[in-house]
Amino acid sequence: MSCDESNLKSVDKIRFSGYVKKLTSFKFVLHTLFYECLCNPLASFSCSLQADSVDLLFCIAKLKSLLSSLKYLKGDTLDPTSELAKFIMSVDCEQDKAEFRGVMLTAVRQNVLDAFHNSRSAYVDAISACLENRFDDLQSSNVMKEISGVIEHFKPLLLKHDIAMASIIDNWRAFKTYWAGAMQIKGTNIWALLLRCHRKQFPNLASPH
């Protein structure tokens, strides 16, 4: 074996030893699971913007849902169904023990966990501020103003069919809340669903007239 080959293997051994140390550290696993919680709603919003046919109202609902999810991540109580929350519940800082997917972690200390919880809020605030600044135009969309303009334009026809104009806006807000909670439904299908299944819940928005 040549001297160069021996040195290369020695360097690789040191490098991979460093990788293992990092990957099995308590702090690394905590932050990786947290980033997963951040990336899932971010990816969902990103996909809505990259669709072949972008639905503005759907994107607005997605953005509001994303910002709401981020606020939840900075709170005292994490989603108990998330892998992050389950992992934290399994940690025994008194015994300096934590296991993740069958691997015992290193540097398990209460101060590491406390520092992680203290930094969550800063991470979320920075990402939220970036999103709000980047998509300010989307958040301040004049959809409600445009709807009011349509209502005013068709006022005689709406009155003729006894449709409560003031309730159209209320129906629209309620429908937006429903839509935001049904994100798996494509924007192109949402109106068909409204007309087919939800006339009673939103009578003035889904009037047969």
Side-chain angles (χ1 to χ4, degrees), residues 23-61:
L23 292 171
T24 57
S25 72
F26 180 48
K27 181 178 179 180
F28 178 82
V29 173
L30 271 175
H31 284 81
T32 300
L33 291 175
F34 180 62
Y35 293 148
E36 181 186 27
C37 293
L38 287 171
C39 287
N40 284 336
L42 281 167
S44 181
F45 174 59
S46 177
C47 287
S48 72
L49 296 175
Q50 298 176 57
D52 292 335
S53 178
V54 176
D55 188 315
L56 177 61
L57 296 180
F58 186 63
C59 291
I60 292 172

PDB file of all heavy atoms in Angstrom, residues 23-61:
ATOM      1  N   LEU A  23     -23.973  13.852  13.415  1.00  0.00           N
ATOM      2  CA  LEU A  23     -25.292  13.267  13.146  1.00  0.00           C
ATOM      3  C   LEU A  23     -25.919  12.634  14.378  1.00  0.00           C
ATOM      4  O   LEU A  23     -27.141  12.497  14.446  1.00  0.00           O
ATOM      5  CB  LEU A  23     -25.182  12.221  12.028  1.00  0.00           C
ATOM      6  CG  LEU A  23     -24.843  12.769  10.636  1.00  0.00           C
ATOM      7  CD1 LEU A  23     -24.558  11.625   9.671  1.00  0.00           C
ATOM      8  CD2 LEU A  23     -25.985  13.624  10.100  1.00  0.00           C
ATOM      9  N   THR A  24     -25.107  12.236  15.331  1.00  0.00           N
ATOM     10  CA  THR A  24     -25.642  11.584  16.536  1.00  0.00           C
ATOM     11  C   THR A  24     -25.704  12.532  17.727  1.00  0.00           C
ATOM     12  O   THR A  24     -25.956  12.102  18.849  1.00  0.00           O
ATOM     13  CB  THR A  24     -24.791  10.360  16.913  1.00  0.00           C
ATOM     14  OG1 THR A  24     -23.425  10.768  17.102  1.00  0.00           O
ATOM     15  CG2 THR A  24     -24.861   9.288  15.842  1.00  0.00           C
ATOM     16  N   SER A  25     -25.487  13.818  17.484  1.00  0.00           N
ATOM     17  CA  SER A  25     -25.569  14.771  18.596  1.00  0.00           C
ATOM     18  C   SER A  25     -27.022  15.153  18.855  1.00  0.00           C
ATOM     19  O   SER A  25     -27.843  15.265  17.933  1.00  0.00           O
ATOM     20  CB  SER A  25     -24.749  16.026  18.296  1.00  0.00           C
ATOM     21  OG  SER A  25     -25.371  16.819  17.307  1.00  0.00           O
ATOM     22  N   PHE A  26     -27.357  15.343  20.096  1.00  0.00           N
ATOM     23  CA  PHE A  26     -28.710  15.704  20.531  1.00  0.00           C
ATOM     24  C   PHE A  26     -29.165  17.005  19.860  1.00  0.00           C
ATOM     25  O   PHE A  26     -30.287  17.107  19.351  1.00  0.00           O
ATOM     26  CB  PHE A  26     -28.698  15.845  22.053  1.00  0.00           C
ATOM     27  CG  PHE A  26     -30.004  16.221  22.663  1.00  0.00           C
ATOM     28  CD1 PHE A  26     -31.182  15.569  22.326  1.00  0.00           C
ATOM     29  CD2 PHE A  26     -30.070  17.235  23.612  1.00  0.00           C
ATOM     30  CE1 PHE A  26     -32.398  15.915  22.906  1.00  0.00           C
ATOM     31  CE2 PHE A  26     -31.278  17.592  24.197  1.00  0.00           C
ATOM     32  CZ  PHE A  26     -32.442  16.934  23.846  1.00  0.00           C
ATOM     33  N   LYS A  27     -28.293  17.994  19.824  1.00  0.00           N
ATOM     34  CA  LYS A  27     -28.624  19.294  19.243  1.00  0.00           C
ATOM     35  C   LYS A  27     -28.950  19.169  17.759  1.00  0.00           C
ATOM     36  O   LYS A  27     -29.916  19.784  17.270  1.00  0.00           O
ATOM     37  CB  LYS A  27     -27.450  20.252  19.436  1.00  0.00           C
ATOM     38  CG  LYS A  27     -27.682  21.647  18.882  1.00  0.00           C
ATOM     39  CD  LYS A  27     -26.475  22.546  19.151  1.00  0.00           C
ATOM     40  CE  LYS A  27     -26.696  23.945  18.585  1.00  0.00           C
ATOM     41  NZ  LYS A  27     -25.519  24.833  18.851  1.00  0.00           N
ATOM     42  N   PHE A  28     -28.172  18.373  17.028  1.00  0.00           N
ATOM     43  CA  PHE A  28     -28.392  18.216  15.588  1.00  0.00           C
ATOM     44  C   PHE A  28     -29.756  17.601  15.301  1.00  0.00           C
ATOM     45  O   PHE A  28     -30.495  18.066  14.424  1.00  0.00           O
ATOM     46  CB  PHE A  28     -27.290  17.338  14.983  1.00  0.00           C
ATOM     47  CG  PHE A  28     -27.454  17.083  13.511  1.00  0.00           C
ATOM     48  CD1 PHE A  28     -27.030  18.025  12.580  1.00  0.00           C
ATOM     49  CD2 PHE A  28     -28.052  15.916  13.052  1.00  0.00           C
ATOM     50  CE1 PHE A  28     -27.192  17.796  11.215  1.00  0.00           C
ATOM     51  CE2 PHE A  28     -28.219  15.685  11.694  1.00  0.00           C
ATOM     52  CZ  PHE A  28     -27.789  16.627  10.771  1.00  0.00           C
ATOM     53  N   VAL A  29     -30.112  16.558  16.041  1.00  0.00           N
ATOM     54  CA  VAL A  29     -31.402  15.884  15.815  1.00  0.00           C
ATOM     55  C   VAL A  29     -32.559  16.817  16.158  1.00  0.00           C
ATOM     56  O   VAL A  29     -33.554  16.887  15.428  1.00  0.00           O
ATOM     57  CB  VAL A  29     -31.483  14.579  16.628  1.00  0.00           C
ATOM     58  CG1 VAL A  29     -32.877  13.975  16.542  1.00  0.00           C
ATOM     59  CG2 VAL A  29     -30.446  13.579  16.124  1.00  0.00           C
ATOM     60  N   LEU A  30     -32.445  17.561  17.255  1.00  0.00           N
ATOM     61  CA  LEU A  30     -33.490  18.521  17.634  1.00  0.00           C
ATOM     62  C   LEU A  30     -33.765  19.514  16.506  1.00  0.00           C
ATOM     63  O   LEU A  30     -34.918  19.725  16.108  1.00  0.00           O
ATOM     64  CB  LEU A  30     -33.062  19.296  18.881  1.00  0.00           C
ATOM     65  CG  LEU A  30     -33.405  18.734  20.254  1.00  0.00           C
ATOM     66  CD1 LEU A  30     -32.765  19.600  21.327  1.00  0.00           C
ATOM     67  CD2 LEU A  30     -34.907  18.638  20.464  1.00  0.00           C
ATOM     68  N   HIS A  31     -32.705  20.125  15.998  1.00  0.00           N
ATOM     69  CA  HIS A  31     -32.871  21.157  14.976  1.00  0.00           C
ATOM     70  C   HIS A  31     -33.299  20.568  13.634  1.00  0.00           C
ATOM     71  O   HIS A  31     -34.071  21.194  12.890  1.00  0.00           O
ATOM     72  CB  HIS A  31     -31.577  21.959  14.818  1.00  0.00           C
ATOM     73  CG  HIS A  31     -31.349  22.944  15.916  1.00  0.00           C
ATOM     74  ND1 HIS A  31     -30.830  22.584  17.141  1.00  0.00           N
ATOM     75  CD2 HIS A  31     -31.594  24.274  15.996  1.00  0.00           C
ATOM     76  CE1 HIS A  31     -30.760  23.651  17.919  1.00  0.00           C
ATOM     77  NE2 HIS A  31     -31.210  24.694  17.249  1.00  0.00           N
ATOM     78  N   THR A  32     -32.842  19.381  13.312  1.00  0.00           N
ATOM     79  CA  THR A  32     -33.261  18.751  12.061  1.00  0.00           C
ATOM     80  C   THR A  32     -34.756  18.456  12.066  1.00  0.00           C
ATOM     81  O   THR A  32     -35.461  18.701  11.074  1.00  0.00           O
ATOM     82  CB  THR A  32     -32.476  17.439  11.821  1.00  0.00           C
ATOM     83  OG1 THR A  32     -31.080  17.736  11.744  1.00  0.00           O
ATOM     84  CG2 THR A  32     -32.916  16.781  10.524  1.00  0.00           C
ATOM     85  N   LEU A  33     -35.268  17.947  13.183  1.00  0.00           N
ATOM     86  CA  LEU A  33     -36.703  17.670  13.288  1.00  0.00           C
ATOM     87  C   LEU A  33     -37.507  18.973  13.256  1.00  0.00           C
ATOM     88  O   LEU A  33     -38.617  19.015  12.701  1.00  0.00           O
ATOM     89  CB  LEU A  33     -36.998  16.894  14.573  1.00  0.00           C
ATOM     90  CG  LEU A  33     -36.476  15.446  14.613  1.00  0.00           C
ATOM     91  CD1 LEU A  33     -36.731  14.825  15.982  1.00  0.00           C
ATOM     92  CD2 LEU A  33     -37.132  14.611  13.518  1.00  0.00           C
ATOM     93  N   PHE A  34     -36.956  20.017  13.845  1.00  0.00           N
ATOM     94  CA  PHE A  34     -37.634  21.314  13.814  1.00  0.00           C
ATOM     95  C   PHE A  34     -37.692  21.865  12.396  1.00  0.00           C
ATOM     96  O   PHE A  34     -38.717  22.397  11.959  1.00  0.00           O
ATOM     97  CB  PHE A  34     -36.922  22.292  14.740  1.00  0.00           C
ATOM     98  CG  PHE A  34     -37.544  23.656  14.787  1.00  0.00           C
ATOM     99  CD1 PHE A  34     -38.846  23.825  15.236  1.00  0.00           C
ATOM    100  CD2 PHE A  34     -36.835  24.779  14.388  1.00  0.00           C
ATOM    101  CE1 PHE A  34     -39.431  25.084  15.289  1.00  0.00           C
ATOM    102  CE2 PHE A  34     -37.410  26.037  14.442  1.00  0.00           C
ATOM    103  CZ  PHE A  34     -38.707  26.192  14.884  1.00  0.00           C
ATOM    104  N   TYR A  35     -36.594  21.736  11.660  1.00  0.00           N
ATOM    105  CA  TYR A  35     -36.568  22.202  10.270  1.00  0.00           C
ATOM    106  C   TYR A  35     -37.566  21.429   9.415  1.00  0.00           C
ATOM    107  O   TYR A  35     -38.150  21.979   8.472  1.00  0.00           O
ATOM    108  CB  TYR A  35     -35.165  22.082   9.687  1.00  0.00           C
ATOM    109  CG  TYR A  35     -34.160  23.019  10.318  1.00  0.00           C
ATOM    110  CD1 TYR A  35     -32.813  22.667  10.432  1.00  0.00           C
ATOM    111  CD2 TYR A  35     -34.553  24.254  10.827  1.00  0.00           C
ATOM    112  CE1 TYR A  35     -31.901  23.531  11.032  1.00  0.00           C
ATOM    113  CE2 TYR A  35     -33.649  25.108  11.419  1.00  0.00           C
ATOM    114  CZ  TYR A  35     -32.322  24.752  11.526  1.00  0.00           C
ATOM    115  OH  TYR A  35     -31.425  25.607  12.118  1.00  0.00           O
ATOM    116  N   GLU A  36     -37.769  20.164   9.742  1.00  0.00           N
ATOM    117  CA  GLU A  36     -38.776  19.385   9.020  1.00  0.00           C
ATOM    118  C   GLU A  36     -40.165  19.982   9.252  1.00  0.00           C
ATOM    119  O   GLU A  36     -40.968  20.109   8.315  1.00  0.00           O
ATOM    120  CB  GLU A  36     -38.755  17.928   9.481  1.00  0.00           C
ATOM    121  CG  GLU A  36     -39.772  17.056   8.760  1.00  0.00           C
ATOM    122  CD  GLU A  36     -39.850  15.644   9.305  1.00  0.00           C
ATOM    123  OE1 GLU A  36     -39.549  15.449  10.499  1.00  0.00           O
ATOM    124  OE2 GLU A  36     -40.227  14.735   8.549  1.00  0.00           O
ATOM    125  N   CYS A  37     -40.444  20.371  10.505  1.00  0.00           N
ATOM    126  CA  CYS A  37     -41.732  21.012  10.821  1.00  0.00           C
ATOM    127  C   CYS A  37     -41.890  22.333  10.073  1.00  0.00           C
ATOM    128  O   CYS A  37     -42.995  22.702   9.681  1.00  0.00           O
ATOM    129  CB  CYS A  37     -41.841  21.260  12.323  1.00  0.00           C
ATOM    130  SG  CYS A  37     -41.946  19.783  13.346  1.00  0.00           S
ATOM    131  N   LEU A  38     -40.785  23.048   9.875  1.00  0.00           N
ATOM    132  CA  LEU A  38     -40.828  24.312   9.139  1.00  0.00           C
ATOM    133  C   LEU A  38     -41.019  24.092   7.643  1.00  0.00           C
ATOM    134  O   LEU A  38     -41.790  24.801   6.988  1.00  0.00           O
ATOM    135  CB  LEU A  38     -39.526  25.087   9.362  1.00  0.00           C
ATOM    136  CG  LEU A  38     -39.301  25.741  10.718  1.00  0.00           C
ATOM    137  CD1 LEU A  38     -37.871  26.263  10.801  1.00  0.00           C
ATOM    138  CD2 LEU A  38     -40.283  26.872  10.950  1.00  0.00           C
ATOM    139  N   CYS A  39     -40.320  23.097   7.120  1.00  0.00           N
ATOM    140  CA  CYS A  39     -40.280  22.910   5.662  1.00  0.00           C
ATOM    141  C   CYS A  39     -41.579  22.346   5.090  1.00  0.00           C
ATOM    142  O   CYS A  39     -41.923  22.646   3.940  1.00  0.00           O
ATOM    143  CB  CYS A  39     -39.118  22.002   5.282  1.00  0.00           C
ATOM    144  SG  CYS A  39     -37.505  22.799   5.438  1.00  0.00           S
ATOM    145  N   ASN A  40     -42.294  21.537   5.842  1.00  0.00           N
ATOM    146  CA  ASN A  40     -43.518  20.928   5.310  1.00  0.00           C
ATOM    147  C   ASN A  40     -44.553  21.976   4.881  1.00  0.00           C
ATOM    148  O   ASN A  40     -45.019  21.953   3.742  1.00  0.00           O
ATOM    149  CB  ASN A  40     -44.110  19.948   6.323  1.00  0.00           C
ATOM    150  CG  ASN A  40     -43.338  18.648   6.382  1.00  0.00           C
ATOM    151  OD1 ASN A  40     -42.657  18.271   5.426  1.00  0.00           O
ATOM    152  ND2 ASN A  40     -43.419  17.946   7.491  1.00  0.00           N
ATOM    153  N   PRO A  41     -44.941  22.925   5.758  1.00  0.00           N
ATOM    154  CA  PRO A  41     -45.898  23.960   5.305  1.00  0.00           C
ATOM    155  C   PRO A  41     -45.305  24.901   4.265  1.00  0.00           C
ATOM    156  O   PRO A  41     -46.016  25.386   3.383  1.00  0.00           O
ATOM    157  CB  PRO A  41     -46.272  24.696   6.599  1.00  0.00           C
ATOM    158  CG  PRO A  41     -45.150  24.429   7.536  1.00  0.00           C
ATOM    159  CD  PRO A  41     -44.646  23.068   7.201  1.00  0.00           C
ATOM    160  N   LEU A  42     -43.993  25.162   4.352  1.00  0.00           N
ATOM    161  CA  LEU A  42     -43.345  26.009   3.347  1.00  0.00           C
ATOM    162  C   LEU A  42     -43.390  25.356   1.968  1.00  0.00           C
ATOM    163  O   LEU A  42     -43.665  26.012   0.964  1.00  0.00           O
ATOM    164  CB  LEU A  42     -41.885  26.261   3.738  1.00  0.00           C
ATOM    165  CG  LEU A  42     -41.636  27.326   4.808  1.00  0.00           C
ATOM    166  CD1 LEU A  42     -40.201  27.238   5.308  1.00  0.00           C
ATOM    167  CD2 LEU A  42     -41.925  28.718   4.279  1.00  0.00           C
ATOM    168  N   ALA A  43     -43.161  24.046   1.939  1.00  0.00           N
ATOM    169  CA  ALA A  43     -43.195  23.312   0.668  1.00  0.00           C
ATOM    170  C   ALA A  43     -44.598  23.308   0.079  1.00  0.00           C
ATOM    171  O   ALA A  43     -44.782  23.437  -1.135  1.00  0.00           O
ATOM    172  CB  ALA A  43     -42.708  21.887   0.881  1.00  0.00           C
ATOM    173  N   SER A  44     -45.599  23.167   0.947  1.00  0.00           N
ATOM    174  CA  SER A  44     -46.984  23.160   0.484  1.00  0.00           C
ATOM    175  C   SER A  44     -47.347  24.494  -0.160  1.00  0.00           C
ATOM    176  O   SER A  44     -47.979  24.548  -1.224  1.00  0.00           O
ATOM    177  CB  SER A  44     -47.923  22.864   1.658  1.00  0.00           C
ATOM    178  OG  SER A  44     -49.262  22.830   1.239  1.00  0.00           O
ATOM    179  N   PHE A  45     -46.938  25.591   0.473  1.00  0.00           N
ATOM    180  CA  PHE A  45     -47.197  26.920  -0.085  1.00  0.00           C
ATOM    181  C   PHE A  45     -46.431  27.115  -1.388  1.00  0.00           C
ATOM    182  O   PHE A  45     -46.964  27.637  -2.373  1.00  0.00           O
ATOM    183  CB  PHE A  45     -46.794  27.993   0.929  1.00  0.00           C
ATOM    184  CG  PHE A  45     -46.887  29.396   0.407  1.00  0.00           C
ATOM    185  CD1 PHE A  45     -48.098  29.906  -0.051  1.00  0.00           C
ATOM    186  CD2 PHE A  45     -45.761  30.209   0.368  1.00  0.00           C
ATOM    187  CE1 PHE A  45     -48.184  31.204  -0.540  1.00  0.00           C
ATOM    188  CE2 PHE A  45     -45.842  31.503  -0.108  1.00  0.00           C
ATOM    189  CZ  PHE A  45     -47.055  32.003  -0.565  1.00  0.00           C
ATOM    190  N   SER A  46     -45.192  26.674  -1.415  1.00  0.00           N
ATOM    191  CA  SER A  46     -44.368  26.803  -2.618  1.00  0.00           C
ATOM    192  C   SER A  46     -45.001  26.060  -3.790  1.00  0.00           C
ATOM    193  O   SER A  46     -45.025  26.571  -4.919  1.00  0.00           O
ATOM    194  CB  SER A  46     -42.963  26.253  -2.344  1.00  0.00           C
ATOM    195  OG  SER A  46     -42.165  26.307  -3.504  1.00  0.00           O
ATOM    196  N   CYS A  47     -45.527  24.875  -3.537  1.00  0.00           N
ATOM    197  CA  CYS A  47     -46.162  24.089  -4.610  1.00  0.00           C
ATOM    198  C   CYS A  47     -47.387  24.811  -5.175  1.00  0.00           C
ATOM    199  O   CYS A  47     -47.668  24.722  -6.372  1.00  0.00           O
ATOM    200  CB  CYS A  47     -46.554  22.707  -4.088  1.00  0.00           C
ATOM    201  SG  CYS A  47     -45.147  21.600  -3.833  1.00  0.00           S
ATOM    202  N   SER A  48     -48.120  25.516  -4.310  1.00  0.00           N
ATOM    203  CA  SER A  48     -49.305  26.234  -4.788  1.00  0.00           C
ATOM    204  C   SER A  48     -48.910  27.360  -5.746  1.00  0.00           C
ATOM    205  O   SER A  48     -49.669  27.716  -6.647  1.00  0.00           O
ATOM    206  CB  SER A  48     -50.104  26.800  -3.609  1.00  0.00           C
ATOM    207  OG  SER A  48     -49.431  27.888  -3.003  1.00  0.00           O
ATOM    208  N   LEU A  49     -47.717  27.911  -5.570  1.00  0.00           N
ATOM    209  CA  LEU A  49     -47.242  28.979  -6.446  1.00  0.00           C
ATOM    210  C   LEU A  49     -46.635  28.449  -7.740  1.00  0.00           C
ATOM    211  O   LEU A  49     -46.499  29.184  -8.713  1.00  0.00           O
ATOM    212  CB  LEU A  49     -46.181  29.828  -5.716  1.00  0.00           C
ATOM    213  CG  LEU A  49     -46.644  30.601  -4.482  1.00  0.00           C
ATOM    214  CD1 LEU A  49     -45.456  31.274  -3.813  1.00  0.00           C
ATOM    215  CD2 LEU A  49     -47.697  31.643  -4.845  1.00  0.00           C
ATOM    216  N   GLN A  50     -46.274  27.160  -7.741  1.00  0.00           N
ATOM    217  CA  GLN A  50     -45.629  26.570  -8.913  1.00  0.00           C
ATOM    218  C   GLN A  50     -46.577  25.732  -9.769  1.00  0.00           C
ATOM    219  O   GLN A  50     -46.143  25.089 -10.728  1.00  0.00           O
ATOM    220  CB  GLN A  50     -44.464  25.679  -8.459  1.00  0.00           C
ATOM    221  CG  GLN A  50     -43.377  26.424  -7.722  1.00  0.00           C
ATOM    222  CD  GLN A  50     -42.296  25.507  -7.198  1.00  0.00           C
ATOM    223  OE1 GLN A  50     -41.671  24.776  -7.952  1.00  0.00           O
ATOM    224  NE2 GLN A  50     -42.079  25.530  -5.893  1.00  0.00           N
ATOM    225  N   ALA A  51     -47.852  25.753  -9.434  1.00  0.00           N
ATOM    226  CA  ALA A  51     -48.819  24.960 -10.187  1.00  0.00           C
ATOM    227  C   ALA A  51     -48.921  25.465 -11.623  1.00  0.00           C
ATOM    228  O   ALA A  51     -48.611  26.628 -11.921  1.00  0.00           O
ATOM    229  CB  ALA A  51     -50.189  25.024  -9.509  1.00  0.00           C
ATOM    230  N   ASP A  52     -49.363  24.589 -12.523  1.00  0.00           N
ATOM    231  CA  ASP A  52     -49.514  24.976 -13.929  1.00  0.00           C
ATOM    232  C   ASP A  52     -50.499  26.134 -14.079  1.00  0.00           C
ATOM    233  O   ASP A  52     -50.327  27.020 -14.910  1.00  0.00           O
ATOM    234  CB  ASP A  52     -49.994  23.772 -14.745  1.00  0.00           C
ATOM    235  CG  ASP A  52     -48.940  22.680 -14.835  1.00  0.00           C
ATOM    236  OD1 ASP A  52     -47.747  23.017 -14.698  1.00  0.00           O
ATOM    237  OD2 ASP A  52     -49.299  21.518 -15.041  1.00  0.00           O
ATOM    238  N   SER A  53     -51.551  26.101 -13.253  1.00  0.00           N
ATOM    239  CA  SER A  53     -52.534  27.177 -13.261  1.00  0.00           C
ATOM    240  C   SER A  53     -52.639  27.717 -11.837  1.00  0.00           C
ATOM    241  O   SER A  53     -53.199  27.068 -10.959  1.00  0.00           O
ATOM    242  CB  SER A  53     -53.899  26.648 -13.738  1.00  0.00           C
ATOM    243  OG  SER A  53     -54.866  27.675 -13.696  1.00  0.00           O
ATOM    244  N   VAL A  54     -52.060  28.888 -11.586  1.00  0.00           N
ATOM    245  CA  VAL A  54     -52.013  29.449 -10.237  1.00  0.00           C
ATOM    246  C   VAL A  54     -53.347  30.097  -9.894  1.00  0.00           C
ATOM    247  O   VAL A  54     -53.852  30.940 -10.625  1.00  0.00           O
ATOM    248  CB  VAL A  54     -50.880  30.488 -10.115  1.00  0.00           C
ATOM    249  CG1 VAL A  54     -50.896  31.136  -8.737  1.00  0.00           C
ATOM    250  CG2 VAL A  54     -49.536  29.826 -10.370  1.00  0.00           C
ATOM    251  N   ASP A  55     -53.919  29.662  -8.765  1.00  0.00           N
ATOM    252  CA  ASP A  55     -55.188  30.196  -8.271  1.00  0.00           C
ATOM    253  C   ASP A  55     -54.863  31.200  -7.170  1.00  0.00           C
ATOM    254  O   ASP A  55     -54.380  30.820  -6.093  1.00  0.00           O
ATOM    255  CB  ASP A  55     -56.051  29.052  -7.737  1.00  0.00           C
ATOM    256  CG  ASP A  55     -57.453  29.502  -7.380  1.00  0.00           C
ATOM    257  OD1 ASP A  55     -57.589  30.558  -6.743  1.00  0.00           O
ATOM    258  OD2 ASP A  55     -58.410  28.786  -7.729  1.00  0.00           O
ATOM    259  N   LEU A  56     -55.113  32.487  -7.406  1.00  0.00           N
ATOM    260  CA  LEU A  56     -54.738  33.541  -6.467  1.00  0.00           C
ATOM    261  C   LEU A  56     -55.390  33.344  -5.104  1.00  0.00           C
ATOM    262  O   LEU A  56     -54.718  33.436  -4.066  1.00  0.00           O
ATOM    263  CB  LEU A  56     -55.124  34.910  -7.038  1.00  0.00           C
ATOM    264  CG  LEU A  56     -54.860  36.117  -6.113  1.00  0.00           C
ATOM    265  CD1 LEU A  56     -53.385  36.221  -5.785  1.00  0.00           C
ATOM    266  CD2 LEU A  56     -55.370  37.398  -6.746  1.00  0.00           C
ATOM    267  N   LEU A  57     -56.684  33.069  -5.073  1.00  0.00           N
ATOM    268  CA  LEU A  57     -57.388  32.909  -3.799  1.00  0.00           C
ATOM    269  C   LEU A  57     -56.851  31.712  -3.029  1.00  0.00           C
ATOM    270  O   LEU A  57     -56.725  31.744  -1.803  1.00  0.00           O
ATOM    271  CB  LEU A  57     -58.892  32.748  -4.045  1.00  0.00           C
ATOM    272  CG  LEU A  57     -59.583  33.957  -4.674  1.00  0.00           C
ATOM    273  CD1 LEU A  57     -61.058  33.668  -4.874  1.00  0.00           C
ATOM    274  CD2 LEU A  57     -59.407  35.188  -3.794  1.00  0.00           C
ATOM    275  N   PHE A  58     -56.545  30.650  -3.745  1.00  0.00           N
ATOM    276  CA  PHE A  58     -55.993  29.454  -3.128  1.00  0.00           C
ATOM    277  C   PHE A  58     -54.621  29.766  -2.518  1.00  0.00           C
ATOM    278  O   PHE A  58     -54.306  29.342  -1.408  1.00  0.00           O
ATOM    279  CB  PHE A  58     -55.875  28.338  -4.167  1.00  0.00           C
ATOM    280  CG  PHE A  58     -55.445  27.011  -3.600  1.00  0.00           C
ATOM    281  CD1 PHE A  58     -56.238  26.347  -2.670  1.00  0.00           C
ATOM    282  CD2 PHE A  58     -54.257  26.426  -4.007  1.00  0.00           C
ATOM    283  CE1 PHE A  58     -55.848  25.127  -2.154  1.00  0.00           C
ATOM    284  CE2 PHE A  58     -53.862  25.201  -3.491  1.00  0.00           C
ATOM    285  CZ  PHE A  58     -54.662  24.539  -2.564  1.00  0.00           C
ATOM    286  N   CYS A  59     -53.804  30.537  -3.227  1.00  0.00           N
ATOM    287  CA  CYS A  59     -52.481  30.917  -2.730  1.00  0.00           C
ATOM    288  C   CYS A  59     -52.588  31.800  -1.490  1.00  0.00           C
ATOM    289  O   CYS A  59     -51.794  31.665  -0.551  1.00  0.00           O
ATOM    290  CB  CYS A  59     -51.691  31.634  -3.813  1.00  0.00           C
ATOM    291  SG  CYS A  59     -51.187  30.565  -5.184  1.00  0.00           S
ATOM    292  N   ILE A  60     -53.559  32.709  -1.487  1.00  0.00           N
ATOM    293  CA  ILE A  60     -53.768  33.566  -0.317  1.00  0.00           C
ATOM    294  C   ILE A  60     -54.131  32.722   0.896  1.00  0.00           C
ATOM    295  O   ILE A  60     -53.605  32.917   2.001  1.00  0.00           O
ATOM    296  CB  ILE A  60     -54.870  34.607  -0.587  1.00  0.00           C
ATOM    297  CG1 ILE A  60     -54.398  35.611  -1.642  1.00  0.00           C
ATOM    298  CG2 ILE A  60     -55.254  35.345   0.690  1.00  0.00           C
ATOM    299  CD1 ILE A  60     -55.476  36.558  -2.123  1.00  0.00           C
ATOM    300  N   ALA A  61     -55.035  31.752   0.698  1.00  0.00           N
ATOM    301  CA  ALA A  61     -55.433  30.863   1.788  1.00  0.00           C
ATOM    302  C   ALA A  61     -54.243  30.034   2.272  1.00  0.00           C
ATOM    303  O   ALA A  61     -54.067  29.812   3.471  1.00  0.00           O
ATOM    304  CB  ALA A  61     -56.568  29.951   1.334  1.00  0.00           C
TER     305      ALA A  61
END
